Amino acid sequence: MDLINRIKHWHKVAYLLVAYDFVTISFSYFMALWFRFDCHFSVIPPEYLNPYMFGILPYAAISIVIYWLFGLYRSIWRFASFYELEKMIMATVVTSLINIFGMTFFVYRMPVSYFVFGTGFQFMLGIAIRFSYRFILLMRYQSAPVEADTNVLLIGAGSAGRMILRDVNFVNGGTQGSAKVVAIIDDNSNKWGRYIDGVEVIGGRDKILYAVEKYEIKEIYIAIANITPSEKRNLINICKETSCRIKQLPNIYAEKAGVISAGNLQNITIEDVLGRDPIKLHQEDVAAQLQGKVVLVTGGGGSIGSELCRQIAKYQPKQLIIFDVYENNAYDIQLELKRKYPDMNLVTLIGSVRDARRVESVFEKYRPNICYHAAAHKHVPLMEDSPCEAIKNNAVGTYKTAYAAMKYGCDKFVLISTDKAVNPTNVMGATKRICEMIIQTFDYMVRSGRENEMPCLITHNVDVDSNELECVKPGSAHCEYVAVRFGNVLGSNGSVVPLFKKQIAQGGPVTLTHKDIIRYFMTIPEAVSLVLKAGANASGGEIFVLDMGEPVKILDLARNMIELAGLKPDVDIEIEYIGLRPGEKLYEEKLMSEEGLKETENHLIHVAEPIKFDSEEFIGNLKSLMHLAYENEADDVVQKIRDTVSTFRG
């Protein structure tokens, strides 16, 4: 019913405008004659007055049609802008040309001043009624200001800032309890001391603290469309010294400033505080590797796996296969990709990398060209309590997937590893180091033409050396195996960021294991883009190490998150130290002490010189680990991990 009422009102406004335009257009050209003859009606010659009276009504009717074609009866005049002004100018020019041509060639040759003044009056009267509503609203807000509950400091006096200012102060302002921009900050000294819609640009970022105190600011809006992460981080760090809530333009407007309103503003996130300058990669080689290929992502529903699927989908693969044991995550990413890429050949499969038969059936049916292996147990404390499960899923699952890739003609196998594999102090890190050793062993055997010597490890009531699953022939495989190692990713499942958010929402305390603990952080999209880049440049057998930037103290991370929530650390939210968890390090290492580091063409990607080990002895240890894990001999499994991984210090 409301919609019907709105449509009726819209039509009423349009009909009134039509009547107004008809009258004013007719009146405009009468005024032109009147001015032409010294504002005396009696001296207007009949040879001009009669043609005017003959032609004005048809001309007014034609003008109404032209106005309609230009959309002048469909605009919302409360928001009238340059767009409507431009349309009015174009419509007036077109109608005037029609009038000049029609009167001169078909009615009577009128004085030039008749057309000049008539066009001017027509335009001014047409504009006056259309913009009067907006002017009245602006005058009302300026002449009758009300006290706002929230004083806002706006950072950015550019086009984005101006849109936010007008939306806050004029469009949505003017009511008790609303926000109001009272001061503007901009680093461009040319704007200092000048005004935008009556609000002063008081200075650069060094005036932020001063402005907050002087104007009793409660909220700060960062409205700069083009700002680098490092510049934004510096601004946020200054704003965090106040107790104000901080909001910013979302990323979509950072890339393309369009119609911006206060409703588009978003809260500052921890990614904004920790974020580095964006990584700029030339991804032509990634596109060449993925376009038109069948790509399998194991663990495709997880935080890293799902982002891999998102970025792979952009490169138009022939087919993308999501493989995950947890159906809810797989279903979520499936729906997202189907909505965004409706024409993509997308397959979503449920299964475990522990199940050799299931894994082999997937490789046999779909024959993927590239496999990104992201499936893994990654939670350090849980794997300390369940080491057998870590071996089953991480080590044995990786082996079975790598074996199927070799057997069924996969071109490239990319393992997602972790910096916890470096000098591991916990079971999870040690199992990921075993995964890296598996990758190196497969690559060595394939290059040596000895792939037939790789055992077909299965666990279902048959001897592991049996031929229930057909093994490969020597010299038949061509798969390249690589590993990519990086640290923590912001917001990933099981990371501290979601945990801290939950604890802050519950009122605290925020729990830290140690005040000096540090970690390397990277955003998920950033990490995945580097994984794809490293995989595209791999030739086989490498362990790629991603540059994680500067280490971050987890204590600083916790304090930042509390402050971003508008609270004070140790006042509103307590920070509690609970001690290092089993197997946890104070800091993570990127490389083992025995490994060297080689540069690549991309300064953000390095290659670790692999530690040499006996492949046959390693395979024997892996068999023993599998047997012990499936017999759930936890203590024996941990001891066997120590025997297998020489750098394990757990």
Side-chain angles (χ1 to χ4, degrees), residues 469-526:
L469 295 176
E470 180 184 353
C471 294
V472 298
K473 298 176 182 179
S476 62
H478 58 270
C479 188
E480 296 176 349
Y481 293 87
V482 298
V484 183
R485 183 191 293 163
F486 54 86
N488 302 277
V489 287
L490 288 169
S492 65
N493 297 331
S495 76
V496 294
V497 172
L499 173 63
F500 287 172
K501 284 182 179 178
K502 186 180 296 184
Q503 291 175 336
I504 292 168
Q506 293 171 347
V510 170
T511 56
L512 265 68
T513 55
H514 195 283
K515 67 177 182 178
D516 295 323
I517 195 166
I518 65 169
R519 290 291 181 266
Y520 292 91
F521 283 98
M522 182 180 282
T523 64
I524 294 176
E526 184 179 46

Side-chain angles (χ1 to χ4, degrees), residues 419 422 425 516-520 551 580 584-589 649:
D419 56 2
V422 182
T425 58
D516 295 323
I517 195 166
I518 65 169
R519 290 291 181 266
Y520 292 91
L580 290 174
E584 190 172 30
K585 298 180 183 180
L586 272 180
Y587 59 93
E588 303 293 354
E589 302 163 87
R649 300 179 298 191

